[in-house]
Amino acid sequence: MIGIIAAKFQLFLRKPATFIIMTAISIAFAYMVGLSGQGKIEIPVYTALTNSEELVEHLNKSENFLFVKATKEEAEKEVREGQTVAAVQLSEEGYTIIHASDETSIPLINNELRLVYAKMLENKSILAQADKPDKVKAVLMEAEESPVFQVKQYNFKNDKEIVYDSRLYSLFGFSLYFVMYTIANNVYPIMEEKHNRIWDRLILSSVNKWEIYAGNLLFSFLIGYIQIVVIFCTFRYVAGVDFYGGFAKTFIVLIPYVLAIVALCILLASLAGSAGKYMSYLTITSVPLAMLGGAYWPLEIVTSKVMLFLAKITPVNYGMQLLNGATVNGYSYSELLEPMSILLLMAVIMMGIGINIIEKRNT
């Protein structure tokens, strides 16, 4: 079995194009849909202050708004043409918000500006009364970076409340979707090798049939698993995406999902019987599975009972539950046991049916 896996990896290294393309597409789609805007509303600001960089830097610590410097004419034009909800004129003593309509985000912008200006005026007042302003300024900066007291905010939430992070959701959805194609491209050669009687020659050697199956399926599993690991590591260490402390856990809960997809591809290959039909079945199956499983949008916003019922029989749904549960929801392994068990059951059933059909076709 080890020899079969080693041979598969040697062939893979000679032609890694499909793996690289699928990985790049997954990263590109997840970035464009979930990360391009970082979820922030862009607000143009203009000012006559010569040293406004520090003020704008403080404003951009906001989680909701991205303040971008512009000229007065550019800012007013964007507001007038409806390209932005508001623009802001900054001065040393205060600020002016310019907006064309009463958007719901105006009070939030005002609150962000008020907090920054209150802090800035407070520090200015302290420095004006200090005998040694430089030392006091250094103390204030140190206190801001390493405060003695840390305040954490908590709120009550309903158990059914949706916890949604657009960046992670897009990353998980597109990763689970495109890995189906990567695994599928490595499963179908099993059918071709059996059809071309390559397995018959292997069985004449000391290799058992179960070892041939195990080697091929384990290789397909490893390729799919490695692809998702590469994507997650790219977003974690290059794009700086926050996994809410569940980064390592995602790699463990992924295992049942990848196994289920390998089993699904075996089942499709056994039913198809030819390369053309196999790719058709894969295309027809993968897109609805991703949509019904919530890879593109949260299932919590779906009201159709039929779609919610169909979602219960799609592996993507349980894959999304596991990844979101391990990260944004902070679930423990015991709380994730149910979706993991369902995926393992799906893998056993589909793998059993698929291999049984393949064996019957060749007898």
Side-chain angles (χ1 to χ4, degrees):
M1 184 177 73
I2 300 299
I4 292 172
I5 296 174
K8 290 286 181 180
F9 269 108
Q10 287 178 350
L11 292 172
F12 165 74
L13 293 174
R14 290 178 186 174
K15 296 180 179 178
T18 304
F19 176 85
I20 294 172
I21 291 171
M22 286 298 171
T23 306
I25 291 175
S26 301
I27 293 172
F29 270 86
Y31 181 84
M32 286 189 292
V33 175
L35 297 178
S36 57
Q38 296 291 322
K40 291 186 177 182
I41 301 173
E42 194 170 298
I43 304 294
V45 297
Y46 63 93
T47 177
L49 296 173
T50 55
N51 54 346
S52 59
E53 286 74 14
E54 185 178 354
L55 176 57
V56 175
E57 185 179 340
H58 278 287
L59 289 173
N60 279 330
K61 291 180 181 177
S62 166
E63 296 180 353
N64 302 308
F65 303 101
L66 177 65
F67 294 91
V68 180
K69 291 185 72 174
T71 64
K72 180 181 179 182
E73 291 74 19
E74 290 172 343
E76 289 179 348
K77 182 183 177 185
E78 289 189 30
V79 174
R80 189 167 55 249
E81 295 180 353
Q83 298 176 14
T84 181
V85 294
V88 179
Q89 180 189 12
L90 301 174
S91 64
E92 193 168 354
E93 294 76 20
Y95 57 87
T96 303
I97 300 176
I98 304 164
H99 58 99
S101 59
D102 292 330
E103 292 281 346
T104 55
S105 55
I106 300 300
L108 295 175
I109 298 172
N110 183 50
N111 188 53
E112 298 280 357
L113 291 165
R114 184 176 56 79
L115 291 174
V116 171
Y117 265 88
K119 186 67 177 177
M120 187 176 68
L121 293 175
E122 182 186 27
N123 290 345
K124 187 177 180 181
S125 175
I126 293 172
L127 291 173
Q129 299 175 23
D131 295 332
K132 297 179 179 178
D134 293 339
K135 288 188 176 180
V136 174
K137 187 176 182 180
V139 172
L140 289 173
M141 291 177 66
E142 184 181 353
E144 186 176 348
E145 293 174 359
S146 305
V148 178
F149 300 102
Q150 292 188 346
V151 179
K152 292 186 177 180
Q153 296 179 337
Y154 295 92
N155 65 301
F156 294 101
K157 65 179 183 180
N158 191 301
D159 290 339
K160 295 182 179 179
E161 182 181 346
I162 301 174
V163 182
Y164 180 73
D165 184 323
S166 61
R167 297 171 299 176
L168 278 181
Y169 205 90
S170 301
L171 170 60
F172 294 155
F174 286 109
S175 299
L176 297 188
Y177 173 62
F178 283 107
V179 79
M180 284 193 271
Y181 289 94
T182 301
I183 293 173
N185 284 327
N186 290 285
V187 165
Y188 190 75
I190 296 174
M191 296 289 293
E192 290 184 324
E193 290 172 4
K194 284 186 72 68
H195 179 74
N196 296 329
R197 301 294 180 185
I198 295 174
W199 283 31
D200 294 342
R201 281 173 271 172
L202 287 172
I203 292 171
L204 292 176
S205 65
S206 58
V207 182
N208 294 318
K209 184 177 283 186
W210 73 267
E211 290 180 303
I212 303 174
Y213 269 117
N216 281 279
L217 297 178
L218 188 56
F219 169 76
S220 301
F221 169 83
L222 290 174
I223 290 297
Y225 189 78
I226 290 170
Q227 177 175 312
I228 298 181
V229 170
V230 170
I231 295 169
F232 284 8
C233 287
T234 302
F235 277 85
R236 174 68 179 84
Y237 295 110
V238 179
V241 171
D242 183 10
F243 279 70
Y244 299 84
F247 183 63
K249 193 184 288 184
T250 57
F251 297 138
I252 296 174
V253 301
L254 263 177
I255 293 174
Y257 174 78
V258 181
L259 279 174
I261 296 303
V262 173
L264 174 66
C265 292
I266 282 287
L267 179 61
L268 292 176
S270 67
L271 295 173
S274 67
K277 286 184 179 178
Y278 176 61
M279 295 312 296
S280 301
Y281 289 177
L282 177 66
T283 305
I284 294 170
T285 307
S286 60
V287 175
L289 284 180
M291 295 175 68
L292 292 170
Y296 304 145
W297 51 74
L299 289 179
E300 285 81 357
I301 65 173
V302 177
T303 56
S304 169
K305 292 183 179 179
V306 176
M307 291 185 68
L308 291 174
F309 171 76
L310 293 174
K312 292 181 179 178
I313 56 174
T314 60
V316 178
N317 175 25
Y318 299 104
M320 293 297 291
Q321 286 185 31
L322 288 170
L323 293 174
N324 283 306
T327 53
V328 293
N329 293 314
Y331 290 162
S332 63
Y333 286 110
S334 59
E335 291 174 299
L336 298 172
L337 191 60
E338 182 180 339
M340 291 174 74
S341 303
I342 293 172
L343 282 173
L344 289 174
L345 180 63
M346 285 182 173
V348 170
I349 294 173
M350 290 189 290
M351 188 79 74
I353 296 173
I355 292 177
N356 190 40
I357 294 174
I358 290 173
E359 287 299 310
K360 285 185 176 177
R361 278 178 180 270
N362 288 275
T363 55

